[in-house]
Amino acid sequence: MKGTNLGEFEELVLLTSAALVNDAYSVAICDELGKYTGRVAKLGVVHAVLNRLEEKGLVKSHMGEATSARGGKRKRFYEVTHAGKVALTRSKEVREALWRIIPGFNLEGSV
Amino acid sequence: MKTPTQKLPEPPRWARNLLHWYCRPDLLEDLEGDMNEYFERNLKTKGIRRARWIYILDALKFFRPYTVRKPEFLNLLIHWLMLGSYFKTSRRSLVRNKLFSAINIIGLAVSMSVGLLVIAFLTDLFSYDLFHEKRHRIYRIVTKTEGDDKRTMDLASTSLKAGYKIRETFPGIEEVSLIRRGFYSDAKVSDETIIPLEATWADPSFLKIFTFPMLKGNPATALKEPYSLVVTEKTALKLFGKTEALGKTVRFDTTNYTVTGVLKDIPKLSHIRFEALISLASMLGQKADSDGGILDWGNIYQNYVYLTLPETANLQTVQANLDKLSATENKQLEHQKITLSLQPMDKIIFGGRLSNEIGVNFPKPVAWVLIGLALVVILSACFNYTNLSIARSMRRSREVGIRKIVGALKNHVLGQFMAESVIISVMALIFSFVLFLILRTQFMALAPQLSDLVTLDLSPRLILYFLLLAVVVGLAAGFLPALFFSRIQAVQVLKDASSLKVFRHINLRKALIVIQYTFSLMFITTTLIGYKQYRGFLSFDLGFTTENILNIRMQGNKSTLLKKELAQIPAVNQIATSRMITSLGSIYGTQLKYKTKSVHDSAMVWLNFVDENYIPLHHHRFLAGTNFKNRPTSGNETEVIVNEQVLKRFHIVDRNPADAIGKQVMLDNKPLTIVGVLKDFHYGTMDHKIEPTVFRYSSEEPGGYLNVGIKSEDYPAALSGIEAAWQKIDKIHPLKATFYDDQIEEAYKQFEVMVKVIGFITFLAICIASMGLFGMVVFMTETRLKEISIRKVLGATESGLIFHLSKGFLLLLLISTLVALPVTYIFFDQYVLTKFEYHQPIGVSELIISVLVVMALAFLLIGSQTLKAARSNPAKVLKSE
C-alpha cells in the first residue's frame, strides 16, 4: 500500500500537527504552514490532506468543545498516531541516510 | 461605529445550505466551523463583500468526492418497499374526500389539456423542416430594402441576380439554389383534362439542397433543360390518374412541358410547399416577360435563394461578402437601398414577420403568449391542489405522525406526498388526454390557417412529453404540501391534532387565491377589450361602403365578357372592375413624382386600378373634381384620382382640394392629371395609418376582380345567376366570389381566433379559480362550524354570520381587483393598442362587466356555503361533541 510513503505536503502537514501538539486543527495548521514555509496553504488542500492522513491512520481526530467563535461549531483536533510518528521518523532517516552518502557535498554558493 | 450588540454579518445562507446538503454529516461541523472562522477573519481584513464571496467559492470548492454524502440506498429501498402503502393511503384519502379529490383532479385535468395542446402545437412547429438531411447547413438569403423616405421592408424573397452573384463569385459556398414563385396556369393534359396548376420555378441545385426524394426520374438532370416539369405524386395523380407520369407532355398556354421527375409528396411540416416544379431555365428562356429585367438587382419580390454552406463555414465572412455585393450593386438603384443577410433554415418557422414569405411561419411572441397562458392555467390548478391539501392536512396529520413514530424520516414523508401528487396528476392526465382529443378538433376548426400550419398528430415523442408534463405538474403541485407534512412533529399531532398550525400558512394560501383571481380578472378583461376591438374593426367606417358588394376573382378571364353576362341578371345593379380589393391587408405601391418649378418630390403611394363604376359603387366621397372622364380601353390613361393624403404629402395645395384639379403628377413615367380628390379612406388594415393613395383607370383586369353591387335581398337567386353566368365564361375554374363584408371579417380573422382562444382560457381560469375558492370556503365553514354554532347560540344573526364568514374572502377578491384592473388597463393602453393606428377606446364598461362576472360567481360560491353554515342547527352541531 502506498500508505506508508508520505508525500511532501503530507509530511509538512503531519509535522505541523505534531508541532502544534494540542492545538492542531485545520485553520491553525494552515496558519502555521504559511508561517514556516512562506507559501499560502489553502484550507481546501489542507483539509483534504488531513482527511487522507486520517484514512491512512497517521493521525486521529476528536471534536473539541463548542465555543462562541466559529458560529458555535466545534473544532476537530488532530493528533499524530504511533504510525504517524513512525512514518515521520522513517522519512527523516531516509533523508539523513541519503545526505550521508553524498560525498563532499558542498552547499556553498548553491543557495 | 459598530456597537458590540449589533448583529455581525453572516455568511450567505444559501451557500451554507448547499454545504449542508452535500456534505457528509461527520465532516460537516468542523468544515462549517473552519469556513466560519475564515469568514470572520476575512470580514475584518477584506470587508463584507469579499468575505461572502470567498465563503461562496469555498462552499463550491469543497464539493469533492471525499466530502460528498453517499446516496442512501437504504432510503431508496424503503421508498420502494413502501410504495404499496403509499398507494393504499393515497387511494383511501382520495375516496374519503370526494369533493376535494374531484376539484383537484378535474382542475388539473382541464388545465393540463390546454398544456397538452400547447405542447403538441409547439412540437409540431419545432418539427418543421426536420426531414432535410442538410438542414443545419441550409441558409436562406433575406432582403431588407430601404426607400428614400427611410421606410424599410423585410422580405423573405430576394433577387435572382443576388443568387447568381453568390454562386459565381463567393468562395466557400457549397450549393446555391434559385427559386421563383408565381407560376399559375392551366395544365392541358389532353383535350378533356384541363387542370389549374400552381408551380414553382427551381434550378437543378434545388433537389441537391433539399431532401425531396425523387421516385422517378434523375434528380441531377430533371430540372436542367427548359420546359421540364417535376410533379409530386399527388399532382401526378391529379393530372394523369393512375398512368405513368414520367415522360408525359403537359401544355401550359402555348408551350409544351415534359414531365422529367416524380417527387414523393412533400411532408406537411415543410415551409416550402409546391404542387410542381418547373425548371428555372424555362422562365429565363421566355424573354417576353412584361416586367422586364427579371435578372435586375431590384427585382426582389418573387425570388428566393437558398444555399448550403460547408460544416466549417464562417458566417461572418459570408455576411461580409454579402455586404460588399450589396454595396456594389446598390449603385445602380436610385431610390432604394438593398441589404442581404443569411437566415438559417431552422429560424425560418419562427422567423418573424417577413413579407413575401414562401410558406407558413409563426410569430415567436405568439408562441410565448401561448406558453404563458397554458402556464397560468396549469399553475392555477396547482395552487388549488396546494391550497386544499394544506387546508385538509389535519385529517392526514395523524397518519403522518404514526408513520414518523414507526420510523419514517422527514424525506420519507416528503417522498410519499410527492409520489401521491404525481399519481394524482398522472390520473388527471388520462382525463386531460381525452379532453385534448376533443379540444384538438375544436382548435383546428378555429381557422383554416391552423390546420395548414400544424397536424397535432400523436407520436411516441409527444406522449412522452405529455407524461413529462404530468410528472412536472405533480411535483410542482405537491411540493409545498409535502414539505408541510414532512415537518409535522409526531408527538404534537398525536397528542392533539388540532394543535397543528393549519392556519400558519394562511398567508400563503391567501396569496395563492389572490394570484388566481388576479389572473382570472386580467383574462376576462382582456377578452372583453379584445372582443370590442374586433367588433370595432368590423364595423369601422372605412370611408366607403362595403355592403352588398360581391367581389368576383377574374382568374384570367376578360372583365368585359363577364360584365356583359352579369348585366342581364336583374339582382345585379352595378358592376365595377378593380385590380385589387382594398382594406384587406394586401397592398400595391408605386412611385409618384410631383414636379413644379420649386419642388421636385417623389415618394411611394398606394395604388388601385379601377373603372368608372368603382367609385360610385363603393360610395367614395369626392371632395373636389369628378370621376374618370377619359375612359380608354387600353393603356392610354391620362387621369388619376387621389386622396387627401396625396395633396398633403406632396404639398400640392394647402387648403382647398379643388385647386388640385388639373395638376399633373408622374406615375410610372406617365404624366397623369388629377381629376378628382377623394376623402381619406382606409386602403390598408387598422394597424396602418391612412397613407397617400391613388386610383388609376383600367377597364380590363383579368388578374383582378369584378365588384358587383347586388340590390336584391334574395342573395341565393342572385348568386345562382352569377354562378350560371360564370359557367358560360369559364368552364375550368370554379367561381370565386365573396361578399366584401365577409372578406373584411376574414382579414381580421386572426383577432377573432385570438379572442376565442383567450376567451376559452379565461373560461378555464375562472372555473379553476372558482373551484379552488369553493373548496376553501367549504373547508373554512366546516372547520368553523362549532364557532358558528356558539355565535348563533349567543345571538348572532344569519346575515351577520354570513358577513363575518365571507369578509375574509371578499377582501382577497378586492385586492385582486385592485391589482388586475390597473395592470390590464395600462398594458392595453400603453402597449397593445398603440400598435393600432385606429382603435376603440377602452371603456369603463368592459372593466366593470369583468369585475361583475367574476365577483358574482365568487359571491354565489361563498354565499351558498356560508348561508348553509349559518343556517345549521347549533344544537345538533354542539351535541355531537
Side-chain angles (χ1 to χ4, degrees), chain A residues 40-54:
Chain A
V40 182
K42 282 272 195 310
L43 176 65
V45 184
V46 172
H47 201 272
V49 168
L50 282 171
N51 194 65
R52 206 179 317 142
L53 289 176
E54 192 168 7

Side-chain angles (χ1 to χ4, degrees), chain B residues 79 390 393 396-397 399-401 403-405 408-418 478-490 493 500 504-505:
Chain B
H79 271 307
I390 295 182
S393 58
R396 298 198 64 183
S397 57
E399 175 199 330
V400 175
R403 275 185 195 281
K404 284 205 160 175
I405 282 174
L409 293 176
K410 214 168 154 185
N411 55 7
H412 292 151
V413 178
L414 194 79
Q416 179 199 345
F417 283 92
M418 295 291 258
F479 180 66
L480 282 178
L483 208 62
F484 173 79
F485 279 116
S486 68
R487 287 191 174 157
I488 283 178
Q489 300 279 325
V493 288
L500 189 65
R504 197 179 52 183
H505 291 275

Side-chain angles (χ1 to χ4, degrees), chain B residues 476-632:
Chain B
F479 180 66
L480 282 178
L483 208 62
F484 173 79
F485 279 116
S486 68
R487 287 191 174 157
I488 283 178
Q489 300 279 325
V491 181
Q492 203 187 0
V493 288
L494 288 181
K495 205 165 68 186
D496 178 13
S498 63
S499 70
L500 189 65
K501 291 191 186 114
V502 180
F503 293 98
R504 197 179 52 183
H505 291 275
I506 200 83
N507 281 333
L508 168 75
R509 271 151 41 203
K510 277 182 181 165
L512 294 185
I513 290 184
V514 168
I515 293 174
Q516 280 183 329
Y517 268 86
T518 307
F519 274 115
S520 302
L521 277 167
M522 274 157 60
F523 281 162
I524 190 168
T525 325
T526 305
T527 314
L528 290 175
I529 293 177
Y531 185 70
K532 186 173 175 193
Q533 297 300 327
Y534 169 64
R535 296 304 312 172
F537 290 147
L538 295 191
S539 58
F540 198 81
D541 181 15
L542 297 171
F544 58 93
T545 328
T546 56
E547 250 172 87
N548 291 341
I549 295 175
L550 188 73
N551 292 321
I552 301 173
R553 246 180 89 174
M554 290 315 297
Q555 306 182 62
N557 293 295
K558 287 232 174 221
S559 321
T560 32
L561 277 178
L562 188 63
K563 263 185 196 170
K564 217 180 278 167
E565 291 290 336
L566 292 181
Q568 287 159 21
I569 301 171
V572 170
N573 66 355
Q574 254 179 320
I575 306 168
T577 301
S578 65
R579 181 166 292 184
M580 55 162 295
I581 307 295
T582 49
S583 214
L584 299 181
S586 47
I587 48 178
Y588 191 59
T590 185
Q591 287 287 330
L592 186 143
K593 281 182 208 156
Y594 180 61
K595 269 188 213 173
T596 60
K597 275 166 232 146
S598 52
V599 219
H600 220 86
D601 204 357
S602 133
M604 190 81 137
V605 294
W606 303 126
L607 163 75
N608 195 3
F609 283 90
V610 300
D611 70 355
E612 70 277 10
N613 296 321
Y614 183 86
I615 291 171
L617 173 66
H618 291 85
H619 297 284
H620 279 290
R621 274 158 286 186
F622 276 104
L623 291 178
T626 56
N627 207 337
F628 295 107
K629 278 174 251 154
N630 176 23
R631 297 162 187 172

